Amino acid sequence: MINKIAAGEVVDRPAGVVKELVENSLDAGATAITISVIAGGRQSIEVTDNGCGMSRDDALLSIERHATSKIADVEDIERIATFGFRGEALAAIAAVSRMTLRTCPADSNEGTEIEVIGGRIQDVREVGGPPGTRVTARQLFFNVPARRKFLRTDATELSHIRQVVLLYALAHTNVALRWIVDEREVINAAAGATLEQRLRELFPNLPAAHLHRVEGEHDGVRVHGYVGGPQLARGDRSEQYIFINRRPASAPLIGFALNEVFQTLLPRGRHPVAFLFVDLDPSGVDVNVHPTKKEVRFRDGASVRDAVIKSVRAALITTGATVSTTPDRSATTPPSPAPPPPPSFPNALATITDLPPPRAFAFPRRSLSPFPAEPPAASATAAATTAQPSPPAGDAAAPPPAEARPSSPWAWCRILGQVGGLFVVLETEDGLVLMDPHAAHERVLYERFLSQALERRVPSQGLLTPETVELPPHIAPKVRQNLDILTSFGFGISEFGGDTFIVDAVPSVFGELPARDLLIEAAEAADQGGARSGAERWSVERIARAACRAAVKARDRLTLEEIERLVIELASTEMPYTCPHGRPTLIHFGFRELNRKFGRA
Ligand code: ADP
Ligand code: MG
């Protein structure tokens, strides 16, 4: 009875059984594991390995509760290197199924087969067979009707099992792994694969071009793996595979960290795809919080969170040019003066020769000076009107070399026009691009303000006539308490008594906005940022997001000159593909896609 009750904690559904058995195989040093399930695991789950196996005595002991070979004394609990250590799984599975354990130690050919039904040993016999262990659990929960009733459809149970199989297949690329569903092989992954190979094998439909390599270390926390760009976002977190010290684990903290990075890249409710390995000193993690060891706790959660945020953010920035597929990214060669005709259209007769002259912009693979305080209106226009695009020599003099800029979304582009009075049509070396100028403008303003505010050099713009602003009573204290921060964001504020303030300057990026609205937004953000770690960045992002939307709304028409400048500025942002609220700024139609659509494959 005790085993039956405990079983509910360790294995609550077929996927839990698969997890425990696979972990045992890994702990046994297996290099090949086969998982076979029938009817969503309800009818049968079988895990076969080529690990160390067990002697007859150990095999009999292993199905007793609290029997484990993995810890010898109390101190071992502090440095657990195996998956198991509680000695509960086999006892639990045996208690709630018809289980057969067949095992043969590596150094002998005397194997043992034990049959257990509902926790009672029915038969123990000697068998031959290859070294290793095979555990078969049939008719799970046959003796626990309450639990059985809570099982979902075979398809649902199978999708949970799939998650488990994928997690271990990703974490243990050195182990060969087969997964068989209803006698059909679904996965056959060879041993010794790299993570990249496994990803390709396990997720054949995931476009590699949108996966960004993550690699970073901060405060002794290493974060590596892959994260999907905004294009791959999903409606839930089911495709987030997180490993802590190689152990599949869920830690809400990491989900929050991902959200934080993606909050300006994805609309609310969308979640990135992620395959993330977080490695840190084992003494900094507590895995013994929960019987299934699913959720872990960190001694220093803030540094784990920061490491994830920094590493993932860096990954998204440095490989920002996912839309473009041009292989040549050499930073030094200036682009050829005239864009070469796209190779995909060899038929020169079909090209129209008397189109209006293009306004072409070349984007050398080098740092465009990051957000000059004064927009380089003059040089931008000059570059635009010369028919022959050349790198804007004016500010090329001293590109900060340390701060190598990500490559821009295109090497060259020209504005072809505008459709619907809104969308800007561009040609680039890769094809056709539609740009939403509002979204693009938001992205540009957002990044400009962000970098200025984080470096504490926000140019402020004095107001011709200082504005007297009376704030609602719940906002005024927030302004008073955060005067320093607000000043560093470019506000000029002085108290006028009561809930009234005089604003004589605002951040120049948002010069067009009503000072009062801007101040309210900023005060609330600064206040909510409060004691969070990374509070400043968070507040700045929030202010910037709110203000950008308003700033862009405040102006309805953009002149051609402004659009030209926008194209240049967008190309030099860190994350040009979405606006700070996660809407796309660019929609790309590559030549390959166009060719395919026109049946010119
Ligand atoms: P735990 O993994 O927490 O030790 P289990 O109930 O899962 O507890 O397993 C009990 C013991 O049985 C393990 O400690 C191990 O010695 C042995 N064992 C279980 N599965 C295998 C296997 N596949 N190969 C070899 N030994 C195994
Ligand atoms: Mg175990």
mmCIF file of all heavy atoms in Angstrom, residues 161-177:
data_model
loop_
_atom_site.group_PDB
_atom_site.id
_atom_site.type_symbol
_atom_site.label_atom_id
_atom_site.label_comp_id
_atom_site.label_asym_id
_atom_site.label_seq_id
_atom_site.Cartn_x
_atom_site.Cartn_y
_atom_site.Cartn_z
ATOM 1 N N ILE A 161 5.429 11.629 -23.680
ATOM 2 C CA ILE A 161 6.580 10.721 -23.787
ATOM 3 C C ILE A 161 7.588 11.294 -24.783
ATOM 4 O O ILE A 161 8.795 11.264 -24.548
ATOM 5 C CB ILE A 161 6.113 9.309 -24.225
ATOM 6 C CG1 ILE A 161 5.230 8.711 -23.134
ATOM 7 C CG2 ILE A 161 7.304 8.411 -24.519
ATOM 8 C CD1 ILE A 161 4.567 7.396 -23.511
ATOM 9 N N ARG A 162 7.068 11.845 -25.864
ATOM 10 C CA ARG A 162 7.961 12.433 -26.870
ATOM 11 C C ARG A 162 8.865 13.494 -26.245
ATOM 12 O O ARG A 162 10.065 13.533 -26.477
ATOM 13 C CB ARG A 162 7.120 13.062 -27.995
ATOM 14 C CG ARG A 162 7.926 13.899 -28.965
ATOM 15 C CD ARG A 162 7.050 14.541 -30.044
ATOM 16 N NE ARG A 162 7.825 15.482 -30.841
ATOM 17 C CZ ARG A 162 7.935 16.778 -30.581
ATOM 18 N NH1 ARG A 162 7.323 17.301 -29.531
ATOM 19 N NH2 ARG A 162 8.667 17.557 -31.352
ATOM 20 N N GLN A 163 8.257 14.355 -25.417
ATOM 21 C CA GLN A 163 9.040 15.395 -24.729
ATOM 22 C C GLN A 163 10.205 14.784 -23.960
ATOM 23 O O GLN A 163 11.327 15.258 -24.028
ATOM 24 C CB GLN A 163 8.147 16.116 -23.720
ATOM 25 C CG GLN A 163 7.156 17.066 -24.337
ATOM 26 C CD GLN A 163 7.775 18.422 -24.557
ATOM 27 O OE1 GLN A 163 8.638 18.819 -23.819
ATOM 28 N NE2 GLN A 163 7.357 19.116 -25.588
ATOM 29 N N VAL A 164 9.900 13.709 -23.219
ATOM 30 C CA VAL A 164 10.933 13.070 -22.410
ATOM 31 C C VAL A 164 12.034 12.508 -23.313
ATOM 32 O O VAL A 164 13.219 12.734 -23.096
ATOM 33 C CB VAL A 164 10.309 11.947 -21.555
ATOM 34 C CG1 VAL A 164 11.385 11.120 -20.876
ATOM 35 C CG2 VAL A 164 9.367 12.542 -20.524
ATOM 36 N N VAL A 165 11.610 11.802 -24.353
ATOM 37 C CA VAL A 165 12.595 11.179 -25.245
ATOM 38 C C VAL A 165 13.483 12.260 -25.865
ATOM 39 O O VAL A 165 14.705 12.135 -25.898
ATOM 40 C CB VAL A 165 11.876 10.366 -26.341
ATOM 41 C CG1 VAL A 165 12.867 9.876 -27.381
ATOM 42 C CG2 VAL A 165 11.134 9.192 -25.715
ATOM 43 N N LEU A 166 12.870 13.343 -26.314
ATOM 44 C CA LEU A 166 13.652 14.410 -26.946
ATOM 45 C C LEU A 166 14.629 15.038 -25.958
ATOM 46 O O LEU A 166 15.781 15.310 -26.286
ATOM 47 C CB LEU A 166 12.726 15.480 -27.530
ATOM 48 C CG LEU A 166 11.909 15.033 -28.739
ATOM 49 C CD1 LEU A 166 10.962 16.134 -29.180
ATOM 50 C CD2 LEU A 166 12.826 14.650 -29.889
ATOM 51 N N LEU A 167 14.155 15.262 -24.749
ATOM 52 C CA LEU A 167 15.030 15.868 -23.737
ATOM 53 C C LEU A 167 16.302 15.040 -23.547
ATOM 54 O O LEU A 167 17.411 15.565 -23.568
ATOM 55 C CB LEU A 167 14.303 15.978 -22.405
ATOM 56 C CG LEU A 167 13.379 17.179 -22.234
ATOM 57 C CD1 LEU A 167 12.503 17.004 -20.999
ATOM 58 C CD2 LEU A 167 14.192 18.465 -22.104
ATOM 59 N N TYR A 168 16.116 13.734 -23.382
ATOM 60 C CA TYR A 168 17.300 12.911 -23.126
ATOM 61 C C TYR A 168 18.130 12.736 -24.394
ATOM 62 O O TYR A 168 19.357 12.646 -24.327
ATOM 63 C CB TYR A 168 16.899 11.583 -22.480
ATOM 64 C CG TYR A 168 16.445 11.821 -21.064
ATOM 65 C CD1 TYR A 168 15.108 12.085 -20.774
ATOM 66 C CD2 TYR A 168 17.361 11.890 -20.041
ATOM 67 C CE1 TYR A 168 14.695 12.376 -19.485
ATOM 68 C CE2 TYR A 168 16.971 12.184 -18.740
ATOM 69 C CZ TYR A 168 15.628 12.428 -18.472
ATOM 70 O OH TYR A 168 15.234 12.738 -17.199
ATOM 71 N N ALA A 169 17.473 12.715 -25.522
ATOM 72 C CA ALA A 169 18.232 12.596 -26.771
ATOM 73 C C ALA A 169 19.104 13.828 -26.992
ATOM 74 O O ALA A 169 20.205 13.743 -27.523
ATOM 75 C CB ALA A 169 17.277 12.414 -27.947
ATOM 76 N N LEU A 170 18.621 14.983 -26.554
ATOM 77 C CA LEU A 170 19.401 16.209 -26.716
ATOM 78 C C LEU A 170 20.532 16.293 -25.698
ATOM 79 O O LEU A 170 21.626 16.748 -26.001
ATOM 80 C CB LEU A 170 18.489 17.433 -26.548
ATOM 81 C CG LEU A 170 17.546 17.699 -27.714
ATOM 82 C CD1 LEU A 170 16.508 18.738 -27.313
ATOM 83 C CD2 LEU A 170 18.321 18.169 -28.928
ATOM 84 N N ALA A 171 20.238 15.833 -24.477
ATOM 85 C CA ALA A 171 21.242 15.977 -23.421
ATOM 86 C C ALA A 171 22.344 14.938 -23.548
ATOM 87 O O ALA A 171 23.440 15.157 -23.063
ATOM 88 C CB ALA A 171 20.569 15.861 -22.058
ATOM 89 N N HIS A 172 22.058 13.813 -24.203
ATOM 90 C CA HIS A 172 23.045 12.723 -24.220
ATOM 91 C C HIS A 172 23.355 12.313 -25.650
ATOM 92 O O HIS A 172 22.971 11.246 -26.101
ATOM 93 C CB HIS A 172 22.525 11.549 -23.397
ATOM 94 C CG HIS A 172 22.313 11.930 -21.972
ATOM 95 N ND1 HIS A 172 23.309 11.896 -21.038
ATOM 96 C CD2 HIS A 172 21.235 12.459 -21.348
ATOM 97 C CE1 HIS A 172 22.853 12.341 -19.883
ATOM 98 N NE2 HIS A 172 21.596 12.706 -20.048
ATOM 99 N N THR A 173 24.051 13.205 -26.309
ATOM 100 C CA THR A 173 24.339 12.961 -27.726
ATOM 101 C C THR A 173 25.339 11.820 -27.894
ATOM 102 O O THR A 173 25.521 11.322 -28.995
ATOM 103 C CB THR A 173 24.906 14.227 -28.368
ATOM 104 O OG1 THR A 173 25.972 14.698 -27.545
ATOM 105 C CG2 THR A 173 23.855 15.315 -28.449
ATOM 106 N N ASN A 174 25.988 11.430 -26.805
ATOM 107 C CA ASN A 174 26.951 10.336 -26.891
ATOM 108 C C ASN A 174 26.285 8.967 -26.790
ATOM 109 O O ASN A 174 26.943 7.947 -26.903
ATOM 110 C CB ASN A 174 28.007 10.480 -25.780
ATOM 111 C CG ASN A 174 27.342 10.618 -24.423
ATOM 112 O OD1 ASN A 174 26.198 11.091 -24.332
ATOM 113 N ND2 ASN A 174 28.018 10.199 -23.371
ATOM 114 N N VAL A 175 24.981 8.956 -26.550
ATOM 115 C CA VAL A 175 24.267 7.687 -26.413
ATOM 116 C C VAL A 175 23.372 7.476 -27.635
ATOM 117 O O VAL A 175 22.688 8.392 -28.070
ATOM 118 C CB VAL A 175 23.398 7.713 -25.131
ATOM 119 C CG1 VAL A 175 22.540 6.475 -25.032
ATOM 120 C CG2 VAL A 175 24.278 7.878 -23.911
ATOM 121 N N ALA A 176 23.423 6.245 -28.169
ATOM 122 C CA ALA A 176 22.524 5.928 -29.288
ATOM 123 C C ALA A 176 21.119 5.748 -28.729
ATOM 124 O O ALA A 176 20.940 5.105 -27.695
ATOM 125 C CB ALA A 176 22.983 4.659 -29.986
ATOM 126 N N LEU A 177 20.145 6.317 -29.405
ATOM 127 C CA LEU A 177 18.806 6.295 -28.851
ATOM 128 C C LEU A 177 17.776 5.937 -29.916
ATOM 129 O O LEU A 177 17.739 6.540 -30.979
ATOM 130 C CB LEU A 177 18.518 7.681 -28.269
ATOM 131 C CG LEU A 177 17.431 7.692 -27.226
ATOM 132 C CD1 LEU A 177 17.858 8.518 -26.054
ATOM 133 C CD2 LEU A 177 16.175 8.245 -27.833
#
